[in-house]
């Protein structure tokens, strides 16, 4: 008999059979034989039906990450390794990356949507998958999500899950080029006029992101003098991938406000 299964009867360590119901013995992968010893007591109890079920194929390696995956849009996160194995598998053990993630075997590193080991490799153990956020994973929160699904029919799937907090893809920062400041004559206000045509700098992957708005520029003072710092605002992002980016408003060189000529003065009596 298998000690892991147990014994039935009145022997030491056995479970006494008090009725004649069917007995089902689920085998373990370590079970090599089952010995049945039947000693009839009083009454009639025939051993006429014995059911023995073989062990099922099993995937081991489902786990929740203890370390958060973090990165900035455009850069893959650091990878994490997850040990996996199989028991009585007859088909390849396949790791399928879920939205935002990619996966690779640990021995031959090549990231993609799927990676796999043969059934023989999985049953032998000592293998692992590498998992990371893709470089084009959309910005946002990836907490408590399936990163990878492990499958090998007919075994039940197992999941590699992200931790409950800290899994984020931060937006990538874009800048604006093409604008320049210029001095102006005193006119009593802080409004600055810029030259040039603004253009968006740094868009990745040919993403659908466009620059919207127009420059609103102001000197730090309306008085004659300088050079004064000029603050520029007024721009924003549009497009289907705009949420993956943040925008830094343009910077321009300091400029001065020069005295106005008498021809520019309005004198009221």
């Amino acid at each position: 008999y298998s000690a892991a299964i147990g014994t039935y009867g009145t022997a030491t360590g056995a479970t006494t059979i008090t009725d004649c119901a069917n007995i089902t013995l689920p085998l373990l992968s370590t079970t090599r034989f089952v010995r049945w010893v039947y000693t009839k007591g009083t009454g009639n109890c025939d051993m006429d039906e014995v059911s023995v079920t073989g062990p099922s194929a099993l995937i081991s390696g489902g786990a929740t990450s203890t370390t958060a995956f973090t990165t900035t849009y455009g850069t893959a996160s650091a990878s994490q390794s997850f040990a996996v194995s199989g028991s009585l598998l007859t088909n390849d053990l396949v790791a399928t990356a879920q939205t935002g993630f990619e996966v690779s075997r640990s021995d031959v590193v090549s990231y993609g949507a799927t990676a796999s080991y043969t059934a023989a490799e999985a049953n032998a153990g000592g293998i692992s998958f590498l998992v990371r956020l893709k470089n084009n994973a959309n910005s946002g929160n990836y907490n408590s999500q399936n990163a990878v699904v492990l499958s090998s029919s007919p075994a039940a799937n197992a999941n590699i899950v992200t931790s409950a907090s800290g899994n984020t893809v931060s937006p990538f920062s874009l800048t604006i080029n093409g604008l320049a400041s210029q001095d102006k004559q005193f006119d009593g206000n802080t409004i600055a006029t810029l030259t040039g045509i603004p253009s968006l700098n740094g868009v990745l992957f040919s993403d659908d992101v466009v620059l919207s708005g127009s420059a609103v520029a102001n000197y730090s003072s309306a008085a004659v003098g300088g050079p004064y710092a000029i603050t520029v605002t007024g721009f924003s992002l549009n497009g289907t991938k705009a949420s993956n980016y943040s925008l830094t408003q343009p910077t321009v060189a300091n400029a001065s406000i020069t005295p106005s000529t008498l021809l520019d003065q309005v004198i009221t009596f």
Side-chain angles (χ1 to χ4, degrees), residues 73-182:
Y73 183 72
T75 302
S77 72
S79 64
Q80 297 185 35
S81 179
F82 296 88
V84 298
S85 63
S87 176
L88 301 177
L89 299 183
T90 56
N91 290 301
D92 289 352
L93 175 57
V94 180
T96 302
Q98 304 301 289
T99 301
F101 290 87
E102 58 188 358
V103 63
S104 171
R105 289 173 57 129
S106 61
D107 57 345
V108 181
V109 178
S110 179
Y111 286 95
T114 63
S116 65
Y117 289 97
T118 66
E121 289 173 320
N123 290 335
I127 58 175
S128 60
F129 285 113
L130 300 177
V131 182
R132 69 183 185 183
L133 283 163
K134 297 191 297 183
N135 62 355
N136 63 345
N138 289 330
S139 66
N141 180 323
Y142 290 81
N143 296 330
S144 299
Q145 294 187 17
N146 283 349
V148 167
V149 174
L150 305 173
S151 61
S152 179
S153 178
N157 291 352
N159 298 321
I160 295 174
V161 183
T162 62
S163 58
S165 62
N167 300 275
T168 56
V169 175
S170 301
F172 181 75
S173 181
L174 300 180
T175 58
I176 299 172
N177 294 336
L179 294 176
S181 61
Q182 58 182 343

Side-chain angles (χ1 to χ4, degrees), residues 6-18:
T7 60
Y8 296 82
T10 58
T12 301
T15 300
T16 302
I17 300 172
T18 57

Side-chain angles (χ1 to χ4, degrees), residues 9-103:
T10 58
T12 301
T15 300
T16 302
I17 300 172
T18 57
D19 59 39
C20 295
N22 294 337
I23 300 171
T24 300
L25 305 179
L27 268 62
L28 305 177
S29 60
T30 55
T31 302
R32 294 297 176 265
F33 64 91
V34 176
R35 185 178 69 178
W36 182 280
V37 178
Y38 174 71
T39 303
K40 182 177 181 179
T42 59
N44 294 315
C45 187
D46 296 328
M47 188 179 71
D48 61 359
E49 185 172 345
V50 178
S51 175
V52 180
T53 58
S56 300
L58 178 68
I59 297 172
S60 299
T64 298
S65 174
T66 58
T67 303
F69 293 91
T70 59
T71 190
T72 298
Y73 183 72
T75 302
S77 72
S79 64
Q80 297 185 35
S81 179
F82 296 88
V84 298
S85 63
S87 176
L88 301 177
L89 299 183
T90 56
N91 290 301
D92 289 352
L93 175 57
V94 180
T96 302
Q98 304 301 289
T99 301
F101 290 87
E102 58 188 358
V103 63

